[in-house]
Amino acid sequence: MRILLSNDDGVMAPGIECLYEHLSEHYEVTVIAPDRNCSGMSNALSLHHPLRISKTEKGFYAVNGTPSDCVQLGVNSGFFEEPDIVVSGINDGPNLGDDTIYSGTVAAALEGRHLGLPALAVSLCGKQDLHFETAALLTVDILKSLENHPLDTKQILNINVPNLPIEEIKGIIATRCGKRHRAETMVEDTDPFGNQIFWYGKLGDGFDAGEGTDFHAVASGYCSVSPLSTDMTVHQQISSMNEWLSK
Amino acid sequence: MRILLSNDDGVMAPGIECLYEHLSEHYEVTVIAPDRNCSGMSNALSLHHPLRISKTEKGFYAVNGTPSDCVQLGVNSGFFEEPDIVVSGINDGPNLGDDTIYSGTVAAALEGRHLGLPALAVSLCGKQDLHFETAALLTVDILKSLENHPLDTKQILNINVPNLPIEEIKGIIATRCGKRHRAETMVEDTDPFGNQIFWYGKLGDGFDAGEGTDFHAVASGYCSVSPLSTDMTVHQQISSMNEWLSK
Amino acid sequence: MRILLSNDDGVMAPGIECLYEHLSEHYEVTVIAPDRNCSGMSNALSLHHPLRISKTEKGFYAVNGTPSDCVQLGVNSGFFEEPDIVVSGINDGPNLGDDTIYSGTVAAALEGRHLGLPALAVSLCGKQDLHFETAALLTVDILKSLENHPLDTKQILNINVPNLPIEEIKGIIATRCGKRHRAETMVEDTDPFGNQIFWYGKLGDGFDAGEGTDFHAVASGYCSVSPLSTDMTVHQQISSMNEWLSK
Amino acid sequence: MRILLSNDDGVMAPGIECLYEHLSEHYEVTVIAPDRNCSGMSNALSLHHPLRISKTEKGFYAVNGTPSDCVQLGVNSGFFEEPDIVVSGINDGPNLGDDTIYSGTVAAALEGRHLGLPALAVSLCGKQDLHFETAALLTVDILKSLENHPLDTKQILNINVPNLPIEEIKGIIATRCGKRHRAETMVEDTDPFGNQIFWYGKLGDGFDAGEGTDFHAVASGYCSVSPLSTDMTVHQQISSMNEWLSK
């Protein structure tokens, strides 16, 4: 099985190196990742400038673009052999609840799915003393399971791993995305030249974070696996909408 | 009612001007939009550099960031009075099917919804001789209807308008997102210095574009309105996944 | 006479508008300027991505690039009629002493000279209540004088104007570039996510700012005109260097 | 002696690695270089966004900015011990004649000089089968010579090395900057979406490339060393200009 491995922290990030080492024991792995940190890049595509590929000392491919660009190049450029599956990560930090919509890690997986391939996004929910190996081992486990339980063609898996040694992980459970409180108010400041600037504030804590959510699973020591859809339509809403729209 | 109006084509685009003119006849409207074309930017957030706001001759606010950044500034910075609703558009071109995931127009609406506000994204499905006025008039109509049919707190409306004079529009219908064929293979080229580069190819045509889809509605002369969810979880999948994950 | 007018503050800056209005009373003027503020951009060229030209409501051309890119497009792309002279400005702030090396305003003029055209850079030395009209009127005067005193083919003029009403300007004098004290130590800070960042500090004051310098002229109420060379070689140094290098 | 080593090809470029290896045999060397290729960046400063420093596996410092930013951080931020000299390179390609004005390699050296330090820029004049070692060995030689012939406080040395094995280098000579023919007309093209774009064309060949120039030295197998001034004023022009300006 041929894996396209990408991420959003950039081709030099420790998370992608650790995952590469574990995956390449079992599979043929090509790493194609952004040349810079692309956290928060979501599904952005570089439509306005051309993409360039360079090769690092480790044989990884670095791209002057976004996670989605990397997957497009890996699958749809003819430059690489087409992979069987896309894996994205290991992200340095969580992608829980509404983080998913901004995450470049999740976006790389979604891009794979849009191009017809099964896809996983893997994130490690810690800030320091990161147990990337735990996330790598669990990813290999889940890839093995997927051999018998193929992913639906409109879904990806969003995996969030507690920052613990592997022996302290309590299990793997399927979850729904929770929801965060609104992020803190943006931070107003002035630059050293006296101009007004704004920074994003800290993320909100979990708001909808009860049992069944990804927040709850990770907080309880479980590896959380959320099935995400590539189709955002709220199908059950359509008929009632048609009643009032047609008036 | 106070409207925050944004887009992804940039603060100087004709689509946002036309929509501003129509909306401001009925509502209090603040325009906050990117200073450059941000098509394809999706929900990207500028986490790595600070944002700056400047004011154009027309009194619009230009931001050195993405559509999502503009909505965050409009709602969550304390710099502007908090709006009641977010409107994004009129996009110069369609946002049909899986376009929605890459669209900065749709992203601005999603950002509004994540911040607790109802939100609409409006796109005009044409390439030239653009009837922005048609899209503006339909947006005003739909805003009026929403007064009696408030949006669910986890949904936005994605509106796509055929490029026709208003009198040729056959009606407004609720649709689900269709799906495009995979985009054409990326275009390989060399820059004038002999280096290999890659460009995105043309979008695929509609693949799942039958009755009920946004593609079909627009092609048939209807204004398409798709309810999109801010929660990507495939809820009905969770229990069956838990069976095989726990093994 | 056909003038190519550019700047580094961007196509929407008030300084370029004011200069356009005055120059176009006497000459044929084409405005080609960056679509964003490019202060501090020096002679940077966009070698890694292609350039795009769009037209503003006023008929100015906006480019997704640097001041030097704008002049290259204006002179060397075949898209515009070739100009007779390049004028850059009016910069919002001084370009005195070693500022010249970082200035996008000066760079646009240097680019014109490298492409074979006489060129001027014009800056207004104020921070608020800016008298752009003074700088525009003096630029017209100097252009008239140049008709009888053509610029050397390896030189440009760097013009700095005191921020005063035209009737308070004491005259126009030729100066040499002074030198600033080293800029303040860079400002260390943390972004809201706890990461270490550095900003440039404030510019140093004049260090070599005595009589004969551009600093002194402006501080004394004179319009300063410094002849700058496109050739940085220290010719008088070459023979002594050859003695010790050859050992 | 403590050396600050930077470049414009980026922290991962082979030229800076080779120079690091040779310099660190003799001196204490800190590498601070851009995280991306910054060719053509000239003296650009990142005034509009803050700088971030990260450390690579080799212990080099990567900066999200320009060559000039790297030198400012190395000398004027308090984050590093202040160096005694700035060395920039080895550039992958020549910096001859008017290239110097656009070169990020030369800019890093100029920035060092502006901050009060002696500074060298080193470039290798080849396209393939690059003899970086030749340039590294010559740089060490020149650094040794400088111990007895300190650089003037307003000058840097711009060194261009022929792409030959060290034993084929005929010597080291001091030169003046030559001049290139105007670059080829910009290349007009359309992107895959049908939009007009422009690329820079190929560099012009040497135009003023006769004996005494850097072009001529390199073409003849000599290492070229040009003394460049940080002061662009044409001093001998000032008095004649004052005659006609004052009228």
Side-chain angles (χ1 to χ4, degrees), chain C residues 245, chain D residues 1 3 5 15 18-20 22-23 26-27 85-91 119-124 132-147 157 159-161 166 172 223 225:
Chain C
L245 278 175
Chain D
M1 193 168 76
I3 296 179
L5 178 59
C18 175
L19 191 48
Y20 172 77
H22 282 79
L23 292 178
H26 307 274
Y27 307 104
I85 187 168
V86 172
V87 178
S88 175
I90 304 165
N91 191 58
L120 314 181
V122 187
S123 304
L124 183 62
F132 285 121
E133 189 163 354
T134 302
L137 291 166
L138 288 163
T139 305
V140 172
D141 278 0
I142 292 167
L143 283 169
K144 295 285 175 206
S145 298
L146 283 174
E147 290 171 19
L157 297 186
I159 302 168
N160 279 278
V161 178
I166 185 71
I172 305 178
C223 171
V225 182

Side-chain angles (χ1 to χ4, degrees), chain A residues 38-56:
Chain A
C38 284
S39 299
M41 258 302 186
S42 190
N43 305 277
L45 304 179
S46 298
L47 300 176
H48 306 288
H49 69 86
L51 299 169
R52 298 165 192 273
I53 303 171
S54 58
K55 207 167 178 172
T56 72

Side-chain angles (χ1 to χ4, degrees), chain D residues 12-237:
Chain D
M12 315 242 294
I16 201 169
E17 280 190 33
C18 175
L19 191 48
Y20 172 77
E21 279 159 31
H22 282 79
L23 292 178
S24 57
E25 287 174 19
H26 307 274
Y27 307 104
E28 194 180 329
V29 184
T30 304
V31 176
I32 313 174
D35 64 355
R36 276 194 173 166
N37 187 338
C38 285
S39 301
M41 256 305 185
S42 191
N43 305 278
L45 305 179
S46 299
L47 300 176
H48 305 288
H49 69 86
L51 299 170
R52 297 166 191 271
I53 304 171
S54 57
K55 206 166 179 174
T56 72
E57 285 192 355
K58 297 194 170 151
F60 294 0
Y61 294 92
V63 173
N64 66 330
T66 67
S68 299
D69 293 337
C70 293
V71 175
Q72 272 278 345
L73 280 168
V75 178
N76 201 26
S77 71
F79 187 76
F80 299 96
E81 269 197 275
E82 190 154 333
D84 300 303
I85 187 168
V86 172
V87 178
S88 175
I90 304 165
N91 191 58
D92 176 355
N95 278 306
L96 297 164
D98 17 351
D99 299 348
T100 49
I101 214 162
Y102 307 112
S103 165
T105 309
V106 174
L110 285 170
E111 192 67 27
R113 188 70 279 180
H114 276 289
L115 290 163
L117 301 173
L120 314 181
V122 187
S123 304
L124 183 62
C125 303
K127 285 198 174 167
Q128 47 197 20
D129 302 324
L130 295 173
H131 294 272
F132 285 121
E133 189 163 354
T134 302
L137 291 166
L138 288 163
T139 305
V140 172
D141 278 0
I142 292 167
L143 283 169
K144 295 285 175 206
S145 298
L146 283 174
E147 290 171 19
N148 300 315
H149 303 86
L151 273 178
D152 182 278
T153 59
K154 288 191 164 184
Q155 293 174 25
I156 66 160
L157 297 186
N158 184 37
I159 302 168
N160 279 278
V161 178
N163 190 26
L164 298 169
I166 185 71
E167 61 274 11
E168 296 181 26
I169 297 292
K170 293 198 184 143
I172 305 178
I173 55 178
T175 60
R176 65 176 175 86
C177 290
K179 192 158 168 48
R180 293 189 185 278
H181 283 279
R182 191 194 270 205
E184 287 181 15
T185 305
M186 294 187 92
V187 179
E188 188 181 335
D189 203 351
T190 50
D191 71 18
F193 311 103
N195 302 308
Q196 186 184 42
I197 57 175
F198 294 88
W199 289 95
Y200 275 88
K202 291 217 183 89
L203 284 178
D205 287 329
F207 162 71
D208 167 14
E211 202 161 333
T213 65
D214 46 4
F215 286 101
H216 191 267
V218 168
S220 312
Y222 287 88
C223 171
S224 162
V225 182
S226 301
L228 302 186
S229 174
T230 58
D231 174 9
M232 302 162 78
T233 311
V234 190
H235 293 272
Q236 65 275 25
Q237 193 75 13

Side-chain angles (χ1 to χ4, degrees), chain C residues 2-82:
Chain C
R2 189 177 297 119
I3 294 179
L4 164 46
L5 177 59
S6 193
N7 76 348
D8 75 353
D9 291 326
V11 73
M12 316 241 292
I16 201 168
E17 280 191 35
C18 174
L19 190 48
Y20 172 78
E21 279 158 32
H22 282 80
L23 291 178
S24 59
E25 286 175 19
H26 307 274
Y27 308 104
E28 193 180 329
V29 184
T30 305
V31 176
I32 313 174
D35 64 357
R36 275 196 175 165
N37 187 337
C38 285
S39 301
M41 256 305 187
S42 189
N43 305 276
L45 304 179
S46 298
L47 300 175
H48 306 288
H49 68 86
L51 299 170
R52 298 165 191 273
I53 304 170
S54 58
K55 206 165 179 174
T56 72
E57 284 193 354
K58 296 194 171 151
F60 294 0
Y61 294 92
V63 173
N64 65 330
T66 66
S68 299
D69 294 336
C70 293
V71 175
Q72 271 278 345
L73 280 168
V75 178
N76 201 25
S77 71
F79 187 77
F80 298 95
E81 268 197 277
E82 190 155 330

Side-chain angles (χ1 to χ4, degrees), chain A residues 69 102 115 174 198 200 232 242, chain B residues 51 69 111 174 182 200 242:
Chain A
D69 293 337
Y102 307 111
L115 289 163
F198 294 89
Y200 276 88
M232 300 164 81
N242 263 329
Chain B
L51 299 170
D69 293 337
E111 193 66 27
R182 193 193 269 204
Y200 276 87
N242 264 329

